[in-house]
CSV table of all heavy atoms in Angstrom, one decimal:
chain,number,residue,atom,x,y,z
R,598,ARG,N,96.0,100.6,95.6
R,598,ARG,CA,96.6,99.4,95.4
R,598,ARG,C,96.9,99.1,93.9
R,598,ARG,O,96.2,99.5,93.1
R,598,ARG,CB,95.7,98.1,95.9
R,598,ARG,CG,95.1,98.2,97.3
R,598,ARG,CD,96.1,98.1,98.4
R,598,ARG,NE,97.0,96.9,98.2
R,598,ARG,CZ,96.8,95.9,98.9
R,598,ARG,NH1,95.9,95.6,99.8
R,598,ARG,NH2,97.7,94.8,98.8
R,621,GLN,N,99.1,91.8,96.4
R,621,GLN,CA,97.9,91.0,96.8
R,621,GLN,C,96.6,91.5,96.2
R,621,GLN,O,95.8,90.5,96.0
R,621,GLN,CB,97.8,91.2,98.4
R,621,GLN,CG,98.7,90.4,99.1
R,621,GLN,CD,98.5,88.8,99.1
R,621,GLN,OE1,97.4,88.4,98.9
R,621,GLN,NE2,99.6,88.1,99.1
R,622,ALA,N,96.5,92.7,95.7
R,622,ALA,CA,95.3,93.1,95.0
R,622,ALA,C,95.3,92.8,93.5
R,622,ALA,O,94.4,93.2,92.8
R,622,ALA,CB,95.0,94.5,95.4
R,623,MET,N,96.4,92.2,93.2
R,623,MET,CA,96.6,92.1,91.6
R,623,MET,C,95.5,91.2,91.0
R,623,MET,O,95.0,90.1,91.4
R,623,MET,CB,97.9,91.4,91.4
R,623,MET,CG,98.2,91.4,89.9
R,623,MET,SD,99.5,92.4,89.4
R,623,MET,CE,100.8,91.2,90.2
R,624,GLN,N,95.0,91.8,89.8
R,624,GLN,CA,94.0,91.1,89.0
R,624,GLN,C,94.4,90.6,87.8
R,624,GLN,O,93.9,89.7,87.2
R,624,GLN,CB,92.7,92.1,88.8
R,624,GLN,CG,92.0,92.4,90.1
R,624,GLN,CD,91.1,93.6,89.9
R,624,GLN,OE1,90.9,94.2,88.8
R,624,GLN,NE2,90.6,94.2,91.0
R,645,GLN,N,94.2,86.0,95.3
R,645,GLN,CA,92.9,85.6,95.2
R,645,GLN,C,92.1,86.3,94.1
R,645,GLN,O,91.2,85.8,93.6
R,645,GLN,CB,92.1,85.9,96.6
R,645,GLN,CG,92.0,87.2,97.0
R,645,GLN,CD,91.3,87.4,98.4
R,645,GLN,OE1,91.9,87.4,99.4
R,645,GLN,NE2,90.0,87.5,98.3
R,646,ASN,N,92.5,87.6,93.7
R,646,ASN,CA,91.8,88.2,92.7
R,646,ASN,C,92.4,88.1,91.3
R,646,ASN,O,92.0,88.8,90.4
R,646,ASN,CB,91.6,89.7,93.1
R,646,ASN,CG,90.6,89.9,94.3
R,646,ASN,OD1,90.0,89.0,94.6
R,646,ASN,ND2,90.5,91.0,94.8
A,1147,NAG,C1,89.7,91.1,95.8
A,1147,NAG,O1,88.5,91.7,95.3
A,1147,NAG,C2,87.4,91.9,96.2
A,1147,NAG,C3,86.2,92.5,95.4
A,1147,NAG,O2,86.5,93.4,94.5
A,1147,NAG,C4,87.7,92.9,97.2
A,1147,NAG,O3,86.8,93.1,98.2
A,1147,NAG,C5,89.0,92.4,97.9
A,1147,NAG,O4,89.5,93.3,98.8
A,1147,NAG,C6,90.1,92.1,97.0
A,1147,NAG,N1,91.3,91.3,97.6
A,1147,NAG,C7,92.4,92.0,97.8
A,1147,NAG,C8,93.4,91.2,98.4
A,1147,NAG,O5,92.7,93.1,97.4
Side-chain angles (χ1 to χ4, degrees):
R598 305 292 310 259
Q621 284 292 327
M623 184 115 76
Q624 295 165 6
Q645 62 179 95
N646 287 352

